[in-house]
C-alpha cells in the first residue's frame, strides 16, 4: 500500500513538473528517469518535439524543391520483361532508343538505361529528360506517333513485356545534375514512398544530408514524382562495385551529423526499395 502511494506521488510530481517547467528544462530531469542501460539516443523522442518544424507554405512543393534554372521534366520507366525475351528486348532497345536520343528533332535525351541486377528480376529501367517540361513531353509523344520505326518498335516490345509503369519526375534543386559518365559502374536506385505531406521536410533534411555523400562523386541524381505514384522519391547512385558501395555507405556513419539526419528522415518513409542496376552498352550513364 505504501509503495503504491509513493508511486502515485512520484507520478504526480513528474506530471506537475511537465506542466510547469519550460521544455528545455525537462531533458536533464527526464534523463534521470530512463534506465541506465539505454542508449544515449533513446531520449530523442523528446528532443524531436522541439526540433525545428518546416514553416507552413503557400506554394506547391514542386516550385519550392525543384531546380529553378531549368525546366526539365524526367520520365522513369519500369518494364518487366518475360525472362525468355530479355536479350531480344535489350537488343531492340539498344537499336532504337539511341536514335531518339541523338535526333535533334526530339527535345529529349536518354539519361540512362539499365537492367535490374539485384531487386525485381528481368526488369528494364529507362530514365529520360525532356528539356522544356510538359510541352516538350507532348511534342515528343506526338512526333513518335508519326515515327513508323518507333511504332514497329513498340509493337515488337509489347510482345516481350509482362507489365510496365512510369512516373513523371522533377529533380531536387540540391542534387547533382545527372550527366553522362564513363564506366564501368553499377547503379543503385533507392526509391522511397513518403507519407503524404512530408515532401518539404524530406527536402529540407536532404539538402543538408547530400553534402555527406558527395566526396566520392557517387551521387548521380535525386528526383520526386509529379505524376504516377505520388510522394515518391528516387535517389540514383553510382559505384565501382558492391564492395565500394558498402565502404562508402559505412563511411557516412563516421561523419558528424549524418546519423541525426537519418534519424529524422526515417519516420517520413512508408516504404523503401533498393535496385542494383547494370547499364546497357548504349546507356549514357556507364
Amino acid at each position: 500500500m505504501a509503495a503504491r502511494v509513493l508511486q502515485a506521488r512520484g507520478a504526480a510530481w513528474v506530471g506537475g513538473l511537465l506542466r510547469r517547467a519550460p521544455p528545455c528544462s525537462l531533458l536533464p530531469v527526464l534523463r534521470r528517469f530512463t534506465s541506465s542501460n539505454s542508449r544515449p539516443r533513446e531520449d530523442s523522442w523528446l528532443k524531436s518535439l522541439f526540433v525545428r518544424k518546416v514553416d507552413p507554405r503557400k506554394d506547391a512543393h514542386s516550385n519550392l524543391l525543384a531546380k529553378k534554372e531549368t525546366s526539365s521534366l524526367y520520365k522513369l520507366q519500369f518494364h518487366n520483361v518475360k525472362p525468355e525475351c530479355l536479350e531480344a528486348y535489350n537488343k531492340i532497345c539498344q537499336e532504337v532508343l539511341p536514335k531518339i536520343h541523338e535526333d535533334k528533332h526530339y527535345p529529349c535525351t536518354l539519361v540512362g538505361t539499365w537492367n535490374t541486377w539485384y531487386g525485381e528480376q528481368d526488369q528494364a529501367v529507362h530514365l529520360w529528360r525532356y528539356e522544356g517540361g510538359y510541352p516538350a513531353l507532348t511534342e515528343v509523344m506526338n512526333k513518335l506517333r508519326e515515327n513508323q520505326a518507333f511504332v514497329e518498335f513498340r509493337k515488337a516490345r509489347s510482345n516481350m513485356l509482362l507489365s510496365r509503369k512510369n512516373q513523371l519526375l522533377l529533380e531536387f534543386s540540391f542534387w547533382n545534375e545527372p550527366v553522362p559518365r564513363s564506366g564501368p559502374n553499377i547503379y543503385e536506385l533507392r526509391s522511397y514512398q513518403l507519407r503524404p505531406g512530408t515532401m518539404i521536410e524530406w527536402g529540407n533534411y536532404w539538402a543538408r544530408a547530400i553534402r555527406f555523400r558527395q566526396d566520392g562523386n557517387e551521387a548521380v541524381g535525386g528526383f520526386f514524382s509529379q505524376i504516377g505514384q505520388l510522394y515518391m522519391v528516387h535517389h540514383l547512385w553510382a559505384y565501382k562495385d558492391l564492395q565500394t558501395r558498402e565502404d562508402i555507405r559505412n563511411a557516412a556513419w563516421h561523419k558528424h551529423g549524418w546519423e541525426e539526419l537519418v534519424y529524422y528522415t526515417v519516420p517520413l518513409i512508408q516504404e523503401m526499395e533498393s535496385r542494383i542496376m547494370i547499364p546497357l552498352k548504349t546507356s549514357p550513364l556507364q
Side-chain angles (χ1 to χ4, degrees):
M1 179 67 180
R4 285 197 297 270
V5 170
L6 289 173
Q7 184 179 16
R9 288 177 177 173
W13 178 81
V14 172
L17 179 63
L18 288 171
R19 287 192 296 271
R20 294 192 299 272
C24 60
S25 68
L26 297 179
L27 289 175
V29 176
L30 290 178
R31 285 198 186 100
R32 291 200 293 269
F33 282 90
T34 61
S35 61
S36 59
N37 61 354
S38 296
R39 294 184 304 162
R41 290 197 54 79
E42 289 301 313
D43 64 347
S44 290
W45 65 270
L46 183 63
K47 293 180 183 178
S48 67
L49 296 177
F50 311 115
V51 74
R52 182 184 63 84
K53 299 297 182 183
V54 176
D55 293 334
R57 304 288 189 172
K58 295 184 179 180
D59 201 354
H61 63 245
S62 59
N63 294 330
L64 296 167
L65 298 175
K67 281 184 167 63
K68 296 292 191 299
E69 64 273 18
T70 65
S71 56
S72 294
L73 181 71
Y74 290 80
K75 180 168 68 176
L76 185 61
Q77 298 174 302
F78 299 100
H79 290 174
N80 293 316
V81 185
K82 296 175 183 177
E84 67 274 16
C85 297
L86 185 60
E87 185 177 348
Y89 172 90
N90 287 339
K91 185 175 184 295
I92 64 171
C93 284
Q94 292 182 115
E95 291 173 354
V96 175
L97 301 187
K99 293 178 181 178
I100 300 171
H101 168 76
E102 295 164 3
D103 192 337
K104 302 302 181 183
H105 186 62
Y106 300 99
C108 65
T109 55
L110 181 64
V111 178
T113 177
W114 304 267
N115 285 157
T116 299
W117 183 23
Y118 288 103
E120 194 162 355
Q121 296 294 280
D122 304 307
Q123 185 180 71
V125 180
H126 310 291
L127 181 62
W128 292 88
R129 180 194 294 116
Y130 297 87
E131 293 88 356
Y134 292 106
L137 173 67
T138 302
E139 180 182 349
V140 171
M141 294 300 102
N142 288 337
K143 288 180 176 178
L144 287 177
R145 291 191 188 100
E146 305 300 322
N147 184 329
Q148 192 58 38
F150 185 78
V151 171
E152 292 299 323
F153 160 74
R154 289 197 60 175
K155 183 178 179 180
R157 186 187 67 182
S158 66
N159 294 324
M160 302 177 184
L161 298 182
L162 294 170
S163 64
R164 60 192 179 103
K165 70 174 181 179
N166 58 28
Q167 292 178 331
L168 295 180
L169 315 168
L170 296 176
E171 57 184 327
F172 284 110
S173 60
F174 48 84
W175 264 81
N176 298 5
E177 182 79 16
V179 296
R181 64 173 65 196
S182 58
N185 294 294
I186 62 171
Y187 288 81
E188 181 176 20
L189 182 66
R190 296 180 69 87
S191 302
Y192 303 88
Q193 177 68 64
L194 302 186
R195 292 190 293 108
T198 61
M199 185 66 74
I200 291 178
E201 287 183 79
W202 179 273
N204 283 345
Y205 285 125
W206 263 96
R208 288 179 283 161
I210 190 62
R211 71 178 188 268
F212 294 102
R213 296 295 310 278
Q214 293 179 317
D215 293 344
N217 196 33
E218 72 268 19
V220 178
F223 314 91
F224 58 100
S225 62
Q226 289 293 283
I227 296 178
Q229 191 170 355
L230 298 178
Y231 284 96
M232 283 292 297
V233 169
H234 300 283
H235 292 173
L236 184 61
W237 309 91
Y239 303 102
K240 180 181 176 182
D241 50 39
L242 288 174
Q243 186 58 55
T244 302
R245 169 189 176 273
E246 182 75 1
D247 295 342
I248 290 175
R249 288 177 56 80
N250 287 340
W253 290 96
H254 298 288
K255 299 177 181 179
H256 179 69
W258 171 257
E259 76 288 348
E260 193 79 11
L261 292 166
V262 172
Y263 178 83
Y264 287 119
T265 54
V266 166
L268 308 180
I269 302 170
Q270 286 186 332
E271 294 180 18
M272 58 189 297
E273 181 178 6
S274 169
R275 292 176 176 84
I276 301 297
M277 308 184 301
I278 304 297
L280 299 187
K281 292 179 181 179
T282 54
S283 175
L285 287 171
Q286 284 295 308

